[in-house]
Amino acid sequence: MSVGALQSTALRGQLYGPGLAPAGVPTTFSASALGLEFNGDNAAVTAPTWHRLAWRHGGFNATQLIVEWTTDAGAYSLAVSDAAAQSVLLAHLAPATQVAAGPSRGTRTASNAVIAVLVVVPLLLIGLLVWQADRLIDWAVAKIPVETEITLGREAFAQQRTRLALEDSHPAAAMVRELGARLGRGSKYPYEFHIARDDTANAFAMPGGFVVIHTGLLARADSAEELAGVMAHEIQHVERRHGLRGLVHAAGWRVALSVILGDTGGSLAASWVENLGALRFSRSQETDADLQGVQALVRADIDPRGMATFFRKMAADGSAMPELLSSHPASEARFAEVEAAMPKGRVFPRLAYDYARLRGTTK
Amino acid sequence: MADVIDYEIFGTEMQYVEVELDPGEAAIGEAGSMMYMQDGIALETVFGDGNQQGGLFGKLLGAGKRLLTGESLFMTIYSNQASGKKRVAFAAPYPGKIVPIDLSTIGGTFICQKDAFLCAARGVSVGIAFQRKLGAGFFGGEGFIMQKLEGNGLAFVHAGGTLLKRDLAPGELLRVDTGCLVGMQPSVDYDIEYVGKIKTALFGGEGLFFATLRGPGTVYLQSLPLSRLASRIFAAAPQRGGSREEGSVLGGLLGGAALGGLLGGDDE
Ligand SMILES: [Zn+2]
């Protein structure tokens, strides 16, 4: 290189053009009112006057200033990355000769639109899901037809059934069915009430109206009103579609979509029907089932205080009967809400069952 | 000035590069890429590429950047402290070609995919270049973070499979599968272009997104991106797991797990 290349006023860039290395050559140049002038090895390269030089911000992340021109020898490009050198050039370059970066405009815009949609839509969807998960789940649950829910529940219950020791000829079976029919009167769900031999004081309901009472719960309750209180609570889990909501919540958007599309027979559905039995409810759902249960009891003309006293008893028992309360989380606030919901000054007729005899001999 | 090193590349498909260091010269390498070194070469592990200036803060910044790129936090400097020439060799991590790039002849800067760098003469700085174009970041196959090699010495990058060096004339456009880009001169426009119907894009699709490279400048392409090799091996392996198709972001996002996870987690 000549001495001129080392002058401090020289600007640096990479020059591409005919006769030069394909990867371009590092070059120094000067910019003046006369135009671009290259130094050293590239002194022979000429460029037209400023207003005839096309230029653009291009290259990786548009970090380069790229100046382009054509001579008789061919097309030349000068790529300048140094910011100071860029500003010297920009002072000379004519705004009118700036060209758009990137490939042809039309396809570019369409392609960019697609890319933007593909980037933005999933992000929005995720944002929406995180932000409005509750509402979206409500919406999805509302889209699931009752028939689908019943089909699902039946399938889930059929699976669960093999693990249960159902005692449909239990002395209390008729009472359980009668109470259930009273509490579920007018429902769109065809309820089934079962008693299962299990010493844990528990009861559960599956979507579609499958309610199971453990013999341990029958033994623990001291009146038909207390039993009715638990049943009213379980029935409201069905009526309020808590199980379905929990399912949608747990299984996510994809599953909800398949249900909306009616794909309950699919393999997808089969895999999560199994999970129905293991469903847990949220605290707000429990409170909802309590309060709605109290109202259902009142409508059925059954004393709702049975629910309150039974829950209190279970909680006071602590370690002895943790099952019902562990799958139906309890707290003082929850009991207080139930007790506050009791109708004041109304007298209910006692249920005419010989409860102590019917509940059986289970301890 | 970066050290002027001599080198020799050995092997055909599983290559290694042997670098010859004069007394006092040094090479930098990604920790873990060294194959062997002769006695007399001292080894020093440094934060970043050992070029950071500005004291502790500069060093921390460099370290932070390297953490972001997913690279090892440390670079190793191999310096010849003997009185004669000594050799140190660096091996390619998977089948492919080692490409020597003389930064002084290409304008001082080379942009490459973030795991492409193998080793370089001391004085070459290894930094990161954030891809600022959304499309390229999401669909470019390599995310938003690329590597930027700067200086005036030799650097060695690694390409998977067979290497193609292509010199683009001013304005010349080349469409490339996104994973096949190894690196380029910074004068090359790099963007992502979508070709096809939106339906195909949503429901799976390799080759729907192309990297568009526009000259002037030199680009290096690889015939076998590691991600493609890995996904074929993964698909052929007996067990299944969370593999992700190349180029389909939505497919990955809708892959139940992600959304299920978001919706899951009962508030019980
Ligand atoms: Zn409950």
Side-chain angles (χ1 to χ4, degrees), chain A residues 77-101:
Chain A
S77 273
L78 175 68
V80 177
S81 55
D82 177 60
Q86 285 188 4
S87 57
V88 170
L89 284 176
L90 285 171
H92 290 289
L93 290 162
T97 54
Q98 183 176 7
V99 295

Side-chain angles (χ1 to χ4, degrees), chain A residues 53-123:
Chain A
L53 288 173
W55 60 278
R56 62 190 167 92
H57 294 286
F60 186 75
N61 279 342
T63 49
Q64 315 281 306
L65 181 64
I66 297 176
V67 182
E68 294 166 326
W69 68 96
T70 305
T71 69
D72 293 340
Y76 284 91
S77 273
L78 175 68
V80 177
S81 55
D82 177 60
Q86 285 188 4
S87 57
V88 170
L89 284 176
L90 285 171
H92 290 289
L93 290 162
T97 54
Q98 183 176 7
V99 295
S104 68
R105 229 51 197 138
T107 59
R108 213 44 256 166
T109 312
S111 166
N112 278 345
V114 169
I115 286 168
V117 165
L118 288 179
V119 169
V120 168
V121 165
L123 290 180

Side-chain angles (χ1 to χ4, degrees), chain A residues 233-234 237 281 286 289 327-328 334:
Chain A
H233 172 98
E234 294 301 334
H237 277 316
F281 300 117
E286 292 305 335
S327 60
H328 299 75
R334 184 178 158 195

Side-chain angles (χ1 to χ4, degrees), chain A residues 14 16 22-23 26 56 58-61 64 66 77 79 102 108 111 114-115 118-119 122 249 252-254 280-282, chain B residues 104-107 130-132 167 170 185-189 191-192 194 209 215 218 250 253-254 256 263 266-268:
Chain A
Q14 187 83 352
Y16 302 81
R56 62 190 167 92
F60 186 75
N61 279 342
Q64 315 281 306
I66 297 176
S77 273
R108 213 44 256 166
S111 166
V114 169
I115 286 168
L118 288 179
V119 169
H249 196 248
W253 200 235
R254 190 175 189 165
R280 296 276 170 117
F281 300 117
S282 70
Chain B
S104 66
T105 66
I106 66 159
F130 276 105
Q131 171 58 249
R132 293 207 195 98
D167 300 305
Q185 278 183 292
S187 59
V188 175
D189 276 341
D191 204 349
I192 295 296
Y194 169 78
F209 294 93
T218 301
L250 200 57
L253 289 176
L254 285 182
L263 284 173
D266 205 336
D267 52 338
E268 192 184 326

Side-chain angles (χ1 to χ4, degrees), chain B residues 7-265:
Chain B
Y7 69 94
E8 195 172 351
I9 293 173
F10 295 91
T12 52
E13 305 307 326
M14 313 276 191
Q15 296 188 324
Y16 70 92
V17 58
E18 203 178 70
V19 172
E20 187 178 78
L21 300 173
D22 290 337
E25 282 185 345
I28 57 170
E30 191 82 54
S33 63
M34 197 272 283
M35 181 181 165
Y36 75 83
M37 59 185 191
Q38 287 184 320
D39 189 32
I41 290 181
L43 194 148
E44 188 197 357
T45 300
V46 293
F47 260 135
D49 52 21
N51 285 327
Q52 276 81 9
Q53 275 145 34
L56 184 65
F57 181 72
K59 283 181 180 174
L60 283 176
L61 199 67
K65 282 181 174 178
R66 293 177 65 75
L67 271 180
L68 269 177
T69 62
E71 291 167 278
S72 48
L73 200 51
F74 301 98
M75 279 277 188
T76 309
I77 298 183
Y78 305 84
S79 53
N80 181 1
Q81 307 203 328
S83 50
K85 292 183 182 220
K86 295 291 176 190
R87 291 179 164 236
V88 56
F90 302 90
Y94 50 93
K97 299 289 179 196
I98 293 173
V99 192
I101 291 170
D102 185 351
L103 293 172
S104 66
T105 66
I106 66 159
T109 305
F110 186 71
I111 308 284
C112 59
Q113 293 194 351
K114 65 176 182 292
D115 54 357
F117 174 74
L118 188 65
C119 62
R122 179 175 59 191
V124 170
S125 97
V126 183
I128 58 166
F130 276 105
Q131 171 58 249
R132 293 207 195 98
K133 287 185 176 160
L134 263 190
F138 274 99
F139 301 103
E142 300 304 318
F144 287 98
I145 294 160
M146 300 185 82
Q147 243 169 1
K148 184 160 74 171
L149 309 179
E150 277 178 305
N152 49 16
L154 265 180
F156 296 86
V157 299
H158 178 255
T162 301
L163 177 84
L164 171 68
K165 176 176 184 265
R166 189 71 201 250
D167 300 305
L168 300 177
E172 184 181 352
L173 186 73
L174 189 66
R175 289 192 176 87
V176 177
D177 181 274
T178 53
C180 293
L181 178 68
V182 178
M184 64 209 155
Q185 278 183 292
S187 59
V188 175
D189 276 341
Y190 168 49
D191 204 349
I192 295 296
E193 190 179 37
Y194 169 78
V195 180
K197 293 197 171 77
I198 187 149
K199 208 165 144 191
T200 356
L202 285 168
F203 299 107
E206 192 169 343
L208 287 162
F209 294 93
F210 295 103
T212 57
L213 302 170
R214 188 196 194 204
T218 301
V219 299
Y220 290 86
L221 307 180
Q222 57 188 357
S223 67
L224 183 61
L226 179 62
S227 59
R228 187 177 292 179
L229 180 65
S231 74
R232 290 299 155 89
I233 290 173
F234 201 86
Q239 81 286 350
R240 278 191 52 83
S243 87
R244 199 173 72 107
E245 292 285 327
E246 281 180 71
S248 172
V249 164
L250 200 57
L253 289 176
L254 285 182
L259 294 189
L262 286 172
L263 284 173

